[in-house]
C-alpha cells in the first residue's frame, strides 16, 4: 500500500476518529492525520494551512451529519478554495448510512471521490491509498 503524507478526518464522532487514526497507524496508511469535529473548524483550519503555504491533506474523510457545519456545508465552502489549491485533494464521504440520495448528491461535487460506509477497515483504506 502506498503511504499518504497527510490526511484529514472531519467527523464529530470521537470514537470513530480515534479508531480510524489507530487503524491508519497500524497499517502505515498515513504519516500525519488531522482531525476536526465539525465542518467549520475544518474549513477554518484548511484555509489557515493555505495562508501559511502548507499544502492541504491529500485525502479528506468527511462525515455528513455533524453539528454546526455539516459535511454538505463544508463541501460548499471547500469549493470556494481556488481549484489549483484543492485539485490534488480527494474527498471521501464516510457515513454510517447507505443513502442512495446522499450517494447521488455526493456525485455533484467534483472533489468527492467516493462514498464509504463506516466503520473504515484496513481493506477499505487499502482501496483508498
Amino acid at each position: 500500500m502506498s503511504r499518504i503524507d497527510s490526511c484529514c478526518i472531519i467527523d464529530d464522532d470521537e470514537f470513530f476518529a480515534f479508531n480510524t487514526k489507530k487503524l491508519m497507524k497500524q497499517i502505515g496508511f498515513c504519516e500525519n492525520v488531522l482531525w476536526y469535529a465539525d465542518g467549520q473548524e475544518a474549513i477554518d483550519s484548511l484555509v489557515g494551512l493555505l495562508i501559511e503555504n502548507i499544502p492541504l491533506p491529500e485525502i479528506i474523510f468527511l462525515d455528513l451529519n455533524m453539528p454546526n457545519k455539516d459535511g454538505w456545508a463544508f463541501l460548499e465552502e471547500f469549493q470556494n478554495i481556488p481549484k489549483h489549491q484543492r485539485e490534488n485533494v480527494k474527498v471521501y464521504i464516510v457515513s454510517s448510512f447507505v443513502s442512495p440520495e446522499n450517494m447521488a448528491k455526493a456525485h455533484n461535487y467534483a472533489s468527492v471521490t467516493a462514498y464509504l460506509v463506516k466503520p473504515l477497515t484496513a481493506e477499505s483504506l487499502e482501496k483508498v491509498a
Side-chain angles (χ1 to χ4, degrees), residues 8-57:
C8 174
I9 299 169
I10 305 171
D11 196 313
D12 62 321
D13 182 343
E14 290 183 49
F15 183 74
F16 169 78
F18 174 81
N19 284 333
T20 302
K21 289 193 316 189
K22 183 177 170 185
L23 175 63
M24 288 176 177
K25 185 175 182 177
Q26 287 174 342
I27 66 172
F29 177 80
C30 185
E31 188 69 31
N32 300 302
V33 181
L34 303 172
W35 172 58
Y36 305 105
D38 71 69
Q40 187 62 56
E41 178 186 5
I43 202 73
D44 291 346
S45 180
L46 295 178
V47 168
L49 291 175
L50 293 172
I51 290 169
E52 296 293 323
N53 289 319
I54 299 170
L56 294 177

Side-chain angles (χ1 to χ4, degrees), residues 1-2 4 29 59-61 90 92 113-114 116 120-129:
M1 177 192 313
S2 65
I4 306 297
F29 177 80
I59 294 175
I60 295 175
F61 294 102
K90 295 179 181 175
Y92 290 84
T113 301
L116 305 174
L120 296 180
T121 63
E123 293 77 25
S124 62
L125 289 175
E126 285 171 12
K127 290 177 185 173
V128 167

